[in-house]
Amino acid sequence: MTIFSQSKPALMNLGTFQFEVNTAAYQALRRNTSFRWAKNDRLTRTPSRQFVGQGDDKITLSGRIYTAHGGGLGQLDRMREMGKAAIPLMLIDGMGKVYGEYVIDRVTEMQSNFIAGGKPRRQDFTLEISAYGEDLRTGSSEGGGGNSGGGISIWDLIGWGIDQLA
């Protein structure tokens, strides 16, 4: 997949879906990044805060599709199918910045300027996506620490093996 192309000026790629100036062009991008701070109540003093990690990273794209151009009517249906697939998708902007993996939370559509047969000439859309988050991975192919269930055990997280418990 080519991100930079003179024939298809890409604004952003979400997985295999390409937002382009001539097809599904977004006019606004809103990004909301939150941070988690736990409140600690203290006797006779104001509460303090303890940083417990990064919160959600959400991006909202608002745009417009003119169905007579480039991608036609099926673009929003394709976004919905990508959401139904329940797979994290790599997000890369047209300048090459890699945002990481994101999941589709919501696709909103408004149709207008209808022609014969009820076909809209214009579709306004809003796409809401959220960062998938990093998965912890171990170097072991058996799923970490010798536990029978696969995945990661608490001992992997603190750096101990099962054999060190004996």
Side-chain angles (χ1 to χ4, degrees):
M1 166 176 39
T2 303
I3 295 174
F4 302 104
S5 170
Q6 292 180 356
S7 64
K8 294 183 178 183
L11 299 171
M12 187 170 289
N13 289 4
L14 178 62
T16 59
F17 191 89
Q18 202 169 60
F19 295 91
E20 300 171 4
V21 172
N22 299 324
T23 59
Y26 57 88
Q27 279 84 42
L29 183 152
R30 181 181 327 133
R31 186 173 184 185
N32 184 351
T33 305
S34 62
F35 304 92
R36 298 180 301 141
W37 289 86
K39 177 180 170 184
N40 297 309
D41 289 324
R42 302 183 294 181
L43 189 60
T44 71
R45 297 188 307 182
T46 60
S48 67
R49 303 284 177 180
Q50 179 181 9
F51 185 73
V52 294
Q54 185 171 334
D56 281 338
D57 189 7
K58 295 181 176 260
I59 295 177
T60 302
L61 301 172
S62 300
R64 181 166 294 155
I65 297 170
Y66 292 101
T67 59
H69 295 110
L73 270 174
Q75 296 175 85
L76 294 176
D77 290 335
R78 185 163 168 230
M79 287 182 207
R80 287 185 180 96
E81 289 303 316
M82 291 169 64
K84 286 179 191 175
I87 299 171
L89 305 163
M90 189 60 64
L91 181 67
I92 305 170
D93 72 17
M95 295 177 287
K97 179 181 177 184
V98 177
Y99 288 79
E101 291 181 312
Y102 279 72
V103 296
I104 296 176
D105 294 322
R106 180 175 291 133
V107 178
T108 306
E109 167 184 7
M110 186 181 86
Q111 299 179 356
S112 61
N113 300 343
F114 296 94
I115 59 174
K119 179 180 175 183
R121 293 162 97 189
R122 183 174 119 182
Q123 294 174 303
D124 293 313
F125 69 91
T126 302
L127 176 68
E128 298 175 36
I129 59 176
S130 297
Y132 172 67
E134 295 180 26
D135 283 330
L136 295 175
R137 294 180 172 91
T138 64
S140 169
S141 63
E142 63 183 65
N147 60 2
S148 61
I152 296 175
S153 72
I154 186 65
W155 308 114
D156 291 326
L157 295 174
I158 62 173
W160 284 27
I162 297 296
D163 55 337
Q164 292 174 322
L165 294 176

